[in-house]
Structures are given as structure tokens and as C-alpha cells.
Amino acid sequence: MLTFTLPDGTIESVEVTTLLNAGYAGRNQEEVASHIAELAELGVPAPTVTPALYPISPYLAQQTDTVAVQHGRTSGEAEWALVVLGNTIDDVLLTVACDHTDRDLEVHSVAWSKNAAPDVLGTGAWRLTDVAARLDDITLTAWADGALIQTGTLGDLLAPQYWLDVLTERGLFSRGTVLISGTISMHHGVNQFSDAWKVEMADPTTGNALTCEYKTNLMPAPIG
């Protein structure tokens, strides 16, 4: 169960029934193709189509301040999330999210890597219709151990309406669906394998901001 506080103080709660992570979802698909080529050099398998969409276990949509990890090569990604409360656009919330990913597992399967750790969502949200006219100007910023690692806007990614159309086509535009947007580029020279992540989504028109942040907790070493 996820619970969100809206700017007017309204509380909305929903049980997640479907969780989806978009991938390679930049609005400029030429840049996406270049990024895929860079990842291929690191051994990450290329998607068969772009943008991609990965089903994730619903329990991995979490509002938490601690993420358990199996080793030191995991990292977050600044993203936005759509939370569907009903069957119309008036029933859709927009919030901030951080998709924590196992980078060692990613070279075997992107889908597997995204199922190895939670999608951390903020506890605040906006109604999508309230910010629809200025979505492209809303900023996304991420810090890893306090160092700035991602900066961009929602205009760098495929628009929420694109994904709402996909959900409609697939019969998934219904209460309990959560879709995570895919991420923006990371700055070079910043260590992504950090112990603490923070993501902020800010509306420059109103000055309002949504945040999520957490620390990673290394699991005990296995026996056997």
C-alpha cells in the first residue's frame, strides 16, 4: 500500500497491483541509440525495441528510507512515476521516484536487474492534470552521497501521456498501476555506487518540490 499527500492536504492511498519500469525512454531517440551503444561496450544487452517496458514485482514499489543490497555495485536513477487511482486522467498522480538497480545483474538482463531492488517513491504527489500544462519545465535532480549526479527536466523524457496511451492499449489503465518513467543521463566523473541517494522533482512555476531519499544497507555475506 502506497500513501501520498497532495498539496491541498488530501491523502490518497492505493494498493499496487501492476508495476512497470520504462527503459530507454528519452524523448530524443537518437541519443538513446548512442547510449545503448555505450552500454553494449560494458556488456549490457541491447533492447529489442525502444522505448522498453519491464514488468516489476508489485511489492517492489516502496516508500522507504533504506534499501538492502547484496553488493557494492548498485545505484539509483532519477525518475518520475505515474500512480493510477482510477480509469480517467483525473485519477492519475505524478510523483518522484528512484529506481534502484543491480548493475552486475544488468549485464545479464535489464529486467532481472530492476527486479533485484525496490523502486523508491516519494510520499508527496501532484495530480497530473494540475501540472499538465507545464510538465516539460519540471526539473529532475539527483544526488549520490551528496554529489550532484543527474540534472534534467521532464521534457528530456517521453511524456506521461505517451505512457498513459500505452497503458490504455494494454488494458492496464486501472487502479493500482504504477509506471516509472525511465531516467535522464548521469554526469561523468561522479561515483554512482554510493550509499545514499536523493531525488528531487521541482515545479519552477510554483516552487513546490517532491523528494525521495534513502540509504543502502549491505546484506550480510552469504554462507555457501
Side-chain angles (χ1 to χ4, degrees), residues 13-36:
S13 297
V14 64
E15 182 178 353
V16 181
T17 56
T18 302
L19 177 60
L20 302 163
N21 280 19
Y24 309 102
R27 198 169 297 186
N28 185 330
Q29 286 290 296
E30 289 184 1
E31 290 184 3
V32 170
S34 176
H35 179 55
I36 290 171

Side-chain angles (χ1 to χ4, degrees), residues 2 8 24 55 59 66 112 116 133 150 155 158 170 184 201 211:
L2 302 178
D8 63 2
Y24 309 102
Y59 76 90
T66 304
W112 294 352
Q150 291 177 283
L158 291 172
R170 290 174 163 256
I184 55 179
M201 187 167 70
T211 61

